[in-house]
Amino acid sequence: MFSFKRVLKFWGRLLALLIPFYAIWVLLVWIALQSGEQPTRGWQPGLKFAAALLLATLAIVATLALSTNFMQKLYALKSRREVFWYLVHRLFGQANFRPYILVEESKISSRVNDPDSLLVKVGGPGNMVIRKDSAVVLERGGRLTRVESPGFPKLQPFERIYDIIDLRPGRWQFPVGGMSKEGIPVLCETDIMMQIQDGGEPPSGKKPFPMDPNAVFVASTSKWIREASRPEGDRVLDWKGLIVISATEGTLRSILARYPLDRLIGPKEPGQEHPRQVIRQELEEALHAAAARVGAKILKVELGQIRVADEVTQQWIESWQAAWQRWATEYLATGEAGYIDKVETAYAEITAKRIRDIANVLHDLNKSEGYEAFVAGAKLQLQLAMRNTGADSLVMTYMPREAIRLLQMTANLPPPPGEGEADDK
């Protein structure tokens, strides 16, 4: 990243230091020559001035060489060239954007920076490029100085990276081992999603992962140092480990110990929630409180199946559960079939009773006068009922024979008394 202003500033500082140094040195040499007993003539003064300038240059080079060697030994650095340019930048500033540190995916990128480089181990002056998925906490002289969000911040002299915080949502799936109330070892799969607190700022194109600087600072300083016997990579427990290992495992083991084994692995009882759902809700509440203490927030908590740790016992339990599930399915199917049979039987009985009542009424009115229109309408209704009833084999099966004969007789009711005789006449 070229900057003409930065180049001018670099050369300005360089000349501002060298010109006064050489001027003072030349003045001292001139005073020394004038104070001599015999005045110098010819080319001798110029030669002495050149020797003086050469001596001053050698003094500067020697100083830089000694300083370079000292810093290389002190910080166990590999490249003397890097140390030399560090001293130049420290005295005169940077002529361009280099050197810089690229931070992406919550770590220092190995594409640009060597983990053993001077800028990483010693610190600035220098620059940083922080991607949108990370935040950086800086220190100088063993004291935390500031929190930097994604962008292009500048490292001050001897200021270096203390910690890098991942701003992206993280997901951890891992089994937690515990014991039931009877002391039987069980395993429960957990699925946890968490993220650094955003301070209420919504995501945007420029900031897809907003952050709260105070939350980043708290997360960076929330670390536990574990036993010295552990491997070096597992010795420090950061904010993620405090939530996943300390809070999740400890809380879930305490909850599992309150339930007997048959409640943990058995089916849901009618009218009650499954214990796994109750355990999940209690665990989620505890994790929300634990995450807030380290500057994070919980996005999701899910629990998988709870199984016995012993493989033989687990196979026996799965076989028992399969048999029980098959029996429950058959029982439910039998009950459903019986329910359908009772409904259809009741429907057939009601339909038959209705037809019987209508037929009885029509027979009672058979000898009355002025019922021709009523009888015609009743015949039509009975014919429709006969047709619908005939289409339903179940109704015809449960209908009494007398009712069927009554329907057939009623469907062909004779004319009212005297009507046929009047027609014959």
Side-chain angles (χ1 to χ4, degrees), residues 154-173:
K154 184 177 180 59
L155 287 172
Q156 300 300 323
F158 295 101
E159 190 176 37
R160 62 179 183 174
I161 295 177
Y162 170 76
D163 196 9
I164 302 174
I165 302 298
D166 194 347
L167 301 179
R168 298 169 297 177
R171 182 180 183 183
W172 283 264
Q173 294 177 306

Side-chain angles (χ1 to χ4, degrees), residues 65-350:
L66 291 174
S67 302
T68 300
N69 185 64
F70 173 77
M71 289 194 64
Q72 185 183 19
K73 299 296 184 182
L74 180 63
Y75 295 104
L77 301 172
K78 300 177 181 179
S79 174
R80 289 194 175 188
R81 179 176 178 272
E82 186 181 20
V83 178
F84 170 77
W85 283 109
Y86 173 83
L87 294 174
V88 173
H89 295 152
R90 179 68 183 88
L91 294 173
F92 311 115
Q94 295 175 257
N96 52 31
F97 192 73
R98 291 181 179 274
Y100 69 93
I101 297 176
L102 175 61
V103 177
E104 59 182 359
E105 297 181 355
S106 70
K107 63 177 184 259
I108 298 175
S109 175
S110 58
R111 298 185 293 107
V112 178
N113 304 104
D114 183 1
D116 295 328
S117 65
L118 187 146
L119 192 60
V120 175
K121 299 182 68 174
V122 180
N127 295 291
M128 287 195 302
V129 178
I130 306 176
R131 300 297 189 190
K132 296 180 180 180
D133 57 5
S134 304
V136 176
V137 181
L138 301 175
E139 68 164 342
R140 181 169 59 184
R143 181 179 181 181
L144 300 181
T145 56
R146 54 197 168 108
V147 175
E148 286 294 342
S149 59
F152 306 94
K154 184 177 180 59
L155 287 172
Q156 300 300 323
F158 295 101
E159 190 176 37
R160 62 179 183 174
I161 295 177
Y162 170 76
D163 196 9
I164 302 174
I165 302 298
D166 194 347
L167 301 179
R168 298 169 297 177
R171 182 180 183 183
W172 283 264
Q173 294 177 306
F174 60 99
V176 175
M179 288 189 178
S180 65
K181 190 175 183 179
E182 301 90 349
I184 300 175
V186 294
L187 289 175
C188 180
E189 295 289 338
T190 59
D191 187 356
I192 311 296
M193 286 190 67
M194 66 188 77
Q195 189 179 15
I196 290 294
Q197 295 177 2
D198 53 17
E201 182 180 358
S204 61
K206 295 183 178 180
K207 290 185 177 181
F209 309 109
M211 70 164 196
D212 181 4
N214 294 328
V216 172
F217 184 84
V218 172
S220 176
T221 54
S222 298
K223 295 181 180 180
W224 284 3
I225 306 300
R226 308 173 80 182
E227 300 86 356
S229 59
R230 291 180 176 271
E232 185 176 355
D234 193 35
R235 197 173 299 166
V236 178
L237 204 62
D238 61 359
W239 65 275
K240 301 174 187 175
L242 291 178
I243 296 177
V244 174
I245 297 177
S246 177
T248 302
E249 288 192 354
T251 304
L252 187 55
R253 286 172 181 168
S254 301
I255 298 174
L256 292 175
R258 302 202 304 262
Y259 288 86
L261 182 62
D262 58 344
R263 290 284 291 139
L264 294 176
I265 65 175
K268 182 178 77 70
E269 296 183 0
Q272 296 183 4
E273 288 186 316
H274 195 280
R276 187 168 63 251
Q277 183 64 19
V278 179
I279 293 173
R280 189 202 67 79
Q281 294 176 357
E282 186 174 351
L283 177 63
E284 185 175 6
E285 293 177 359
L287 290 184
H288 278 295
R293 291 194 293 268
V294 297
K297 61 179 180 179
I298 300 297
L299 303 179
K300 185 184 73 170
V301 176
E302 295 292 342
L303 295 181
Q305 294 292 335
I306 301 175
R307 65 182 188 277
V308 179
D310 183 67
E311 294 183 0
V312 177
T313 307
Q314 179 63 28
Q315 292 178 359
W316 179 85
I317 291 174
E318 291 177 356
S319 177
W320 169 78
Q321 288 179 339
W324 184 91
Q325 187 67 29
R326 184 172 60 254
W327 173 83
T329 303
E330 293 176 356
Y331 179 80
L332 292 176
T334 303
E336 186 69 19
Y339 172 77
I340 295 174
D341 181 71
K342 289 182 180 180
V343 171
E344 292 185 351
T345 301
Y347 174 76
E349 292 179 354
I350 292 173

